[in-house]
Amino acid sequence: MLQQVNGHGSGSAAHGGESLREDLQEFLGGEAPLQQLDDLTKVNPVTLETVLRCLQAQYMADTFYTNAGCTLVAMNPFKPVPQLYSPELMQEYHAASQPQTLKPHIFTVGEQTYRNVKSLMEPVNQSIVVSGESGAGKTWTSRCLMKFYAVVAASPTSWESHKVAQRIEQRILNSNPVMEAFGNACTLRNNNSSRFGKFIQLQLNGAQQMTGAAVQTYLLEKTRVACQAPSERNFHIFYQIYKGAHAEERVRWCLPEGATFSWLPHPERTLEEDCFEVTREAMLHLGIDAPTQNNIFQALAGLLHLGNTQFADSGNEAQPCPLVDDAQCSVGTSALLLGLPEDHLLETLRIRTIRAGRGRQVFRKPCSQAECDTRRDCLAKLVYARLFDWLVSVINSSICAAPDSWTTFIGLLDVYGFESFPNNSLEQLCINYANEKLQQHFVAHYLRAQQEEYAVEGLEWSFVSYQDNQPCLDLIEGSPVSICSLINEECRLNRPSSAAQLQTRIESALTGRPRLGRDRLSPEPNFIVLHYAGPVRYRTAGLVEKNKDPVPPELTRLLQQSQDPLLKVLFPADPEEKSQEEPSGQNRAPVLTVVSKFKASLEQLLQVLHGTTPHYIRCIKPNSQAQAQIFHREEVLSQLEACGLVETIHISAAGFPIRVSHRNFVERYELLRRLRPATTLRRHGPCPDGGRSERPPCTEPATLQGLLQEILHALPAPLHCGRTKVFMTNSTLELLERARAQVLEQCARHIQRGWRRHRCRTQARRRRAAVLIQAAVRSWLARKHVRRLHAAATVIKRAWREWRIRMAFLASEELDGVEEKHSSQAPCSPSSSPLPLAQTRLQGAITRLWPLGLALANAAVGVHGFQRKLVVFACLQLPVGSPRSCAIQTAQEQAGVLSIRALPQGSIRFHCRKSPLRYADTCPGPSPDSVTGFNQILLERHRPGHV
Ligand code: ADP
Ligand code: MG
């Protein structure tokens, strides 16, 4: 979804994809940043990646609790956060009207369980399953919850009952250091690792006050007493007595300073859990007095000395194994401390007694060196396991209320998480089997919670199909054949069996089972179980022996003969036990194997859990170095897988992992209404109420519902609309996003198209306007020019008219003078008769028009040469064919005003000359002095300096 298809997109494409993802993230996740989300199921979409990112953001922001649906995820801060567990905060959660609205916290879970008990709604009893890997904080969480109940479940009114409750609470809290001292050890993963499972039942009376408690333990890792993995330690209590004993006690327990014990590795490491005084104090409060304590520690010191009892190889089967150098001393001390006769102890460790035959004859057989070691270890494990169980029973008797004094309970299950090591054996098989069972219980509960949410939203549950882990459980515990039944059968047959044989049996009997496999590359016989949290390879070697957990009857008999008061209590001489340990051939009691015992107690536990309302707290260890503020994604991821959170996510994905409120949905997908008109076929899922109601009841405004319905009609994919949310799968979201992108693209195209059209129109309009302006300017300029021309022409015309009038006047004056003189001088003869009338008119016309003609004839452009002459002739109305009667002289090649000389004395004679201005330059002729009359005027006008 929303990923680049080829993964080779350009930088900008990648950037675009990133921004789209962020955009979608914002839409799905709402406005809240990851570190402020109070529920992992609110990360949208619910994927491992988003869940991891959210957890990391929260851890870095010092937020250690968050919800994951019906589970509380608790991250180990690995640093003291006192304000997180203060009594004030406990009171705040207790007093809150709705604790769920406060920040996620274990106190929310505590308060919720407490209120559920108060409400008396079935099932009234509550249980809190605290799981997680070693060092994740399970014991811490359980402890905090106990403190919380001690505060809130105390009676505020009655002083007497308050005192009782306080005493009980104190005892319950005191049981922790004692159980941790005897049941916890420093491992590679956790300095204070609980090596047993525990279910604490906090008992409440009718007024919801704590009146007592009961502890049930599971599968103590007793092998640790005699065998510690490299870099790991024995149970804390051994180090406490070794380091914390007083001088006098050291003498009594034979623990001199600096003594070395093979079962006490790494005594130099000092842990805060090594505080002996705290354990003693707590034991005292639980009613274990000082002599009993002394007795216990003395027995434990005896076990330490027993560990130093080393055997050598006898080299002869008929001879018991000799002891190594200092071992004799160790055996003596051990026997002393355990109240046993030394020689009897030594004999029991080295010689096996076999009863056989009809007469139950006793045969004595010296053991091999390995058998001696096994018997020694077995003795230590037996004593320690019985001591632990006795302690639990003492604690129970101290804190347990009378059966009629309590009515309800809150159970706290501090259970070891799923385990997978390079070498896994029966312990891991049991632990993982228990985790499979609890996971099934959790899944059933989670699915129920989901179902409830869907029901509230009006959806049908049938959409979700989920394959649970039943096939895996069938493989481990099913009938008639399963891994457990095969291992138990091997024990019952009591025959020597090899690891390879067991592997072949498992493979052949369980062939075809989907959850079974084998590591063919491993040289050791093995089988693989595909657990919900991942595959685990189990070695078959030693499996049957561990399951049998054989306790040689001689060892029990020996311990029953102990003079030590504590061992007398731990190993009472019980005739029934005796008959069980030494079964006769015919009526053998069923062999109680480790697996069968574990299975029985697990079923009992699950029965208790089934009768309660479960709550889940998943503890997560952010890093294996126990460092604050360090978050290792890979480690957290494997824990999320192991504690079933990933499974939860998958279940979530099987349903509708994406839930969006109506408002958010409408805001984002409103534009999908454009996609297509409402189809006749309703493609989306049924409306709430199974489609019975026309419109789901909703508190939102009607318009929102209307819009929602419109969108749902137009959608290309089916999706399910609840009362307040829209539910969809990842693929549906993908489809919706694609459709949205399509619509957005369409919109973008529309916008582009509109913009381009707008731009073209604007450009065209501008062009038209420019043309208009240009035309206007040009016309204005033209008009202006014409006006100027016109004004100039008017001026010229006026000047011309003035000039013409003046000329006409001058000419007429001049002509008049000449005429008068001529007529007065000339004799009157017939040949010189007066001009006829026509000639007179011609003369008038010539007198009027000749300047125009001359001007035209002498214009710089237009007619040339002969044409010009013709024009002059025409304007003067001279006969073209009488060249002698008139001679025209023009300066045709030159522009300018010509002077005109007219001497109409009997004959018409015009003398055209160039302007007098240029006269002197161009042609020689009469000097300006000889010019008279009209010529004189012209000359005057063109003379330089004339104004
Ligand atoms: P588990 O029982 O799961 O093996 P623990 O409860 O013993 O783990 O926790 C391991 C260590 O982590 C504790 O000893 C403590 O130092 C630290 N721790 C766990 N939870 C918290 C917490 N809420 N605040 C501070 N430290 C914690
Ligand atoms: Mg623990």
Side-chain angles (χ1 to χ4, degrees):
M1 178 182 48
L2 302 169
Q3 283 149 0
Q4 276 177 250
V5 175
N6 57 12
H8 300 289
S10 65
S12 65
H15 182 75
E18 191 60 37
S19 67
L20 178 63
R21 201 171 300 127
E22 275 167 19
D23 171 40
L24 192 61
Q25 189 65 47
E26 197 179 303
F27 157 64
L28 293 174
E31 296 298 310
L34 282 180
Q35 66 272 18
Q36 284 173 18
L37 277 183
D38 58 359
D39 199 323
L40 288 179
T41 56
K42 282 188 190 162
V43 300
N44 239 333
V46 186
T47 61
L48 269 180
E49 173 58 27
T50 48
V51 166
L52 258 186
R53 270 203 302 159
C54 185
L55 281 178
Q56 185 167 16
Q58 298 201 340
Y59 187 66
M60 291 332 228
D62 272 2
T63 305
F64 303 110
Y65 295 109
T66 183
N67 292 320
C70 59
T71 310
L72 178 81
V73 178
M75 279 190 285
N76 192 337
F78 283 124
K79 64 179 179 186
V81 199
Q83 72 278 9
L84 212 53
Y85 308 102
S86 65
E88 294 76 32
L89 199 69
M90 291 182 190
Q91 284 300 348
E92 193 184 322
Y93 276 82
H94 183 50
S97 58
Q98 282 186 313
Q100 303 92 323
T101 55
L102 299 177
K103 279 185 176 178
H105 201 289
I106 45 171
F107 297 157
T108 320
V109 182
E111 184 57 27
Q112 189 59 54
T113 50
Y114 191 63
R115 288 187 191 192
N116 285 357
V117 170
K118 259 186 164 173
S119 73
L120 295 179
M121 283 210 333
E122 282 299 328
V124 181
N125 296 328
Q126 309 288 310
S127 57
I128 303 176
V129 181
V130 188
S131 60
E133 89 166 31
S134 186
K138 301 182 292 292
T139 307
W140 178 289
T141 302
S142 309
R143 228 186 284 152
C144 284
L145 279 170
M146 279 192 243
K147 282 183 190 161
F148 177 77
Y149 291 122
V151 169
V152 303
S155 166
T157 48
S158 155
W159 171 248
E160 192 55 37
S161 68
H162 184 67
K163 283 267 56 93
V164 173
Q166 253 192 348
R167 202 179 65 238
I168 294 291
E169 286 149 24
Q170 200 51 47
R171 283 190 186 174
I172 292 169
L173 295 182
N174 278 326
S175 69
N176 281 327
V178 177
M179 294 196 58
E180 287 182 22
F182 284 83
N184 288 19
C186 172
T187 64
L188 285 173
R189 297 183 178 193
N190 181 6
N191 286 350
N192 187 31
S193 174
S194 313
R195 308 314 302 162
F196 65 104
K198 131 180 113 178
F199 182 72
I200 302 172
Q201 191 184 49
L202 303 170
Q203 298 154 344
L204 307 170
N205 63 13
Q208 288 80 46
Q209 290 152 10
M210 214 180 338
T211 56
V215 181
Q216 190 181 348
T217 58
Y218 302 92
L219 210 69
L220 174 76
E221 191 193 43
K222 58 187 178 188
T223 47
R224 185 170 289 269
V225 178
C227 177
Q228 305 80 33
S231 302
E232 293 200 352
R233 297 204 325 178
N234 208 327
F235 291 103
H236 291 324
I237 190 66
F238 290 106
Y239 298 87
Q240 289 183 1
I241 57 170
Y242 178 75
K243 293 177 183 179
H246 305 144
E248 181 253 327
E249 286 168 337
R250 285 190 180 283
V251 174
R252 213 182 313 142
W253 303 334
C254 306
L255 291 175
E257 295 257 14
T260 53
F261 296 97
S262 56
W263 286 351
L264 206 67
H266 312 292
E268 70 289 346
R269 280 177 69 179
T270 306
L271 305 177
E272 61 177 285
E273 285 78 15
D274 292 346
C275 191
F276 193 28
E277 284 312 312
V278 174
T279 309
R280 286 216 253 217
E281 191 79 7
M283 287 173 93
L284 211 56
H285 279 113
L286 287 170
I288 304 172
D289 57 15
T292 315
Q293 285 185 31
N294 177 56
N295 209 176
I296 293 168
F297 303 137
Q298 182 182 313
L300 292 177
L303 293 186
L304 283 182
H305 283 281
L306 184 69
N308 282 359
T309 307
Q310 305 290 331
F311 298 92
D313 192 3
S314 68
N316 180 357
E317 271 191 19
Q319 291 297 316
C321 294
L323 290 167
V324 295
D325 299 340
D326 300 336
Q328 190 64 51
C329 176
S330 298
V331 177
T333 315
S334 179
L336 180 73
L337 292 171
L338 291 171
L340 299 169
E342 184 185 340
D343 51 345
H344 197 176
L345 171 64
L346 201 55
E347 187 187 313
T348 313
L349 292 179
R350 295 194 293 186
I351 294 171
R352 184 151 40 115
T353 41
I354 304 161
R355 286 173 190 268
R358 279 190 167 268
R360 310 283 296 151
Q361 288 163 306
V362 177
F363 297 93
R364 292 161 54 82
K365 186 175 182 302
C367 299
S368 65
Q369 185 194 359
E371 282 171 337
C372 291
D373 287 346
T374 310
R375 288 167 84 87
R376 177 202 59 207
D377 294 354
C378 185
L379 183 74
K381 285 192 282 183
L382 189 61
V383 172
Y384 197 80
R386 290 264 175 119
L387 176 60
F388 187 79
D389 288 346
W390 176 81
L391 266 177
V392 172
S393 70
V394 169
I395 290 171
N396 275 334
S397 62
S398 159
I399 60 176
C400 201
D404 56 349
S405 68
W406 60 277
T407 50
T408 50
F409 72 84
I410 297 171
L412 283 177
L413 181 65
D414 174 351
V415 71
Y416 17 56
F418 178 83
E419 286 188 351
S420 176
F421 300 114
N423 287 321
N424 301 291
S425 191
L426 192 73
E427 294 84 359
Q428 280 70 45
L429 185 66
C430 288
I431 288 172
N432 293 341
Y433 165 45
N435 275 282
E436 284 283 356
K437 275 279 200 202
L438 290 170
Q439 178 65 10
Q440 193 183 42
H441 178 255
F442 168 70
V443 166
H445 174 73
Y446 182 76
L447 287 180
R448 207 180 309 134
Q450 293 253 306
Q451 190 174 9
E452 272 163 21
E453 188 182 354
Y454 290 162
V456 166
E457 287 286 338
L459 296 185
E460 282 175 18
W461 173 241
S462 56
F463 303 124
V464 180
S465 64
Y466 173 70
Q467 179 79 36
D468 77 351
N469 57 347
Q470 190 57 46
C472 189
L473 280 169
D474 287 343
L475 175 71
I476 298 172
E477 58 153 24
S479 66
V481 196
S482 63
I483 291 171
C484 286
S485 73
L486 288 171
I487 300 172
N488 280 342
E489 200 174 282
E490 282 295 316
C491 297
R492 208 171 39 248
L493 290 172
N494 206 14
R495 64 179 184 192
S497 88
S498 71
Q501 215 178 341
L502 180 63
Q503 180 194 290
T504 320
R505 271 207 82 187
I506 288 175
E507 270 185 6
S508 57
L510 300 171
T511 183
R513 297 288 181 103
R515 296 294 181 129
L516 184 72
R518 177 155 76 96
D519 181 4
R520 292 179 192 280
L521 298 176
S522 170
E524 289 178 301
N526 67 79
F527 63 91
I528 292 176
V529 178
L530 302 171
H531 289 284
Y532 74 90
V536 180
R537 184 169 62 90
Y538 298 97
R539 286 195 323 177
T540 51
L543 219 53
V544 176
E545 279 302 296
K546 278 188 178 176
N547 189 31
K548 244 192 256 177
D549 193 22
V551 179
E554 308 94 284
L555 291 186
T556 321
R557 267 200 304 274
L558 169 76
L559 291 168
Q560 282 168 347
Q561 289 165 18
S562 168
Q563 295 306 306
D564 183 76
L566 178 69
L567 289 192
K568 274 181 189 268
V569 175
L570 297 184
F571 297 94
D574 188 353
E576 280 177 32
E577 193 178 340
K578 197 174 174 185
S579 65
Q580 194 182 325
E581 280 167 3
E582 299 172 43
S584 64
Q586 280 76 34
N587 49 1
R588 237 183 229 176
V591 179
L592 271 180
T593 61
V594 169
V595 165
S596 56
K597 276 192 268 183
F598 185 70
K599 199 174 158 189
S601 61
L602 194 60
E603 264 158 21
Q604 196 190 337
L605 172 70
L606 280 162
Q607 227 166 6
V608 172
L609 289 183
H610 279 310
T612 62
T613 304
H615 304 260
Y616 295 89
I617 299 178
R618 307 297 204 192
C619 298
I620 301 285
K621 197 162 70 165
N623 62 77
S624 48
Q625 296 87 43
Q627 297 285 314
Q629 288 287 306
I630 293 179
F631 190 94
H632 285 158
R633 290 169 68 93
E634 293 75 27
E635 285 176 29
V636 174
L637 182 63
S638 71
Q639 289 173 69
L640 292 181
E641 274 170 1
C643 74
L645 264 178
V646 176
E647 201 70 356
T648 315
I649 291 163
H650 288 158
I651 296 168
S652 203
F656 302 105
I658 295 156
R659 295 122 202 245
V660 187
S661 71
H662 285 176
R663 179 170 297 284
N664 273 1
F665 183 84
V666 167
E667 269 173 21
R668 189 167 180 90
Y669 297 116
E670 193 183 343
L671 41 78
L672 292 190
R673 288 182 302 154
R674 300 156 167 263
L675 214 55
R676 63 172 119 131
T679 49
T680 46
L681 181 68
R682 243 178 101 97
R683 296 197 60 191
H684 57 87
C687 259
D689 303 28
R692 281 190 300 277
S693 63
E694 281 292 296
R695 181 172 283 188
C698 182
T699 51
E700 299 286 334
T703 48
L704 181 66
Q705 280 301 315
L707 282 173
L708 184 67
Q709 292 303 323
E710 265 187 68
I711 299 168
L712 293 177
H713 275 288
L715 282 186
L719 52 84
H720 301 273
C721 178
R723 286 199 174 87
T724 60
K725 293 177 194 166
V726 175
F727 291 73
M728 54 185 140
T729 58
N730 277 318
S731 58
T732 313
L733 178 74
E734 230 174 288
L735 269 173
L736 285 182
E737 281 300 309
R738 226 178 286 150
R740 187 172 173 268
Q742 196 185 328
V743 173
L744 282 177
E745 203 180 298
Q746 272 175 14
C747 292
R749 285 216 195 94
H750 272 120
I751 293 169
Q752 281 179 353
R753 218 179 295 150
W755 166 247
R756 286 201 190 107
R757 190 169 52 232
H758 167 76
R759 203 175 50 183
C760 286
R761 280 182 184 165
T762 313
Q763 276 178 354
R765 219 178 298 135
R766 279 193 188 147
R767 204 175 296 124
R768 276 202 306 276
V771 169
L772 216 64
I773 291 167
Q774 280 178 356
V777 168
R778 281 199 191 109
S779 82
W780 176 74
L781 285 173
R783 273 202 305 277
K784 193 176 155 197
H785 185 64
V786 167
R787 262 200 304 274
R788 276 181 64 202
L789 288 178
H790 190 75
T794 310
V795 168
I796 291 167
K797 248 166 40 187
R798 194 168 56 235
W800 164 247
R801 277 194 200 114
E802 279 174 14
W803 181 80
R804 196 182 64 177
I805 292 166
R806 197 178 294 136
M807 285 304 110
F809 175 72
L810 288 175
S812 67
E813 261 197 354
E814 193 176 335
L815 287 176
D816 288 349
V818 170
E819 199 174 343
E820 276 166 21
K821 208 167 119 187
H822 184 72
S823 60
S824 63
Q825 285 174 359
C828 220
S829 62
S831 57
S832 59
S833 60
L835 288 168
L837 186 63
Q839 210 167 346
T840 312
R841 210 178 291 129
L842 177 65
Q843 272 184 354
I846 290 164
T847 309
R848 276 195 310 277
L849 296 173
W850 62 265
L852 179 62
L854 285 180
L856 285 171
N858 284 282
V861 291
V863 288
H864 301 279
F866 184 66
Q867 278 180 335
R868 186 173 293 210
K869 277 180 190 163
L870 281 179
V871 170
V872 173
F873 271 81
C875 80
L876 296 178
Q877 295 185 358
L878 296 176
V880 181
S882 53
R884 272 191 293 151
S885 60
C886 56
I888 294 169
Q889 197 180 353
T890 60
Q892 293 168 6
E893 272 71 46
Q894 292 159 9
V897 179
L898 292 179
S899 65
I900 302 160
R901 188 168 179 83
L903 285 172
Q905 291 175 342
S907 63
I908 300 167
R909 198 166 138 225
F910 289 95
H911 191 102
C912 301
R913 286 240 175 115
K914 195 133 169 87
S915 166
L917 280 172
R918 302 173 73 179
Y919 180 83
D921 311 328
T922 51
C923 46
S927 70
D929 302 336
S930 63
V931 179
T932 59
F934 182 58
N935 293 330
Q936 179 82 42
I937 293 164
L938 285 175
L939 195 62
E940 292 279 297
R941 286 180 70 87
H942 291 94
R943 192 172 287 155
H946 178 82
V947 181

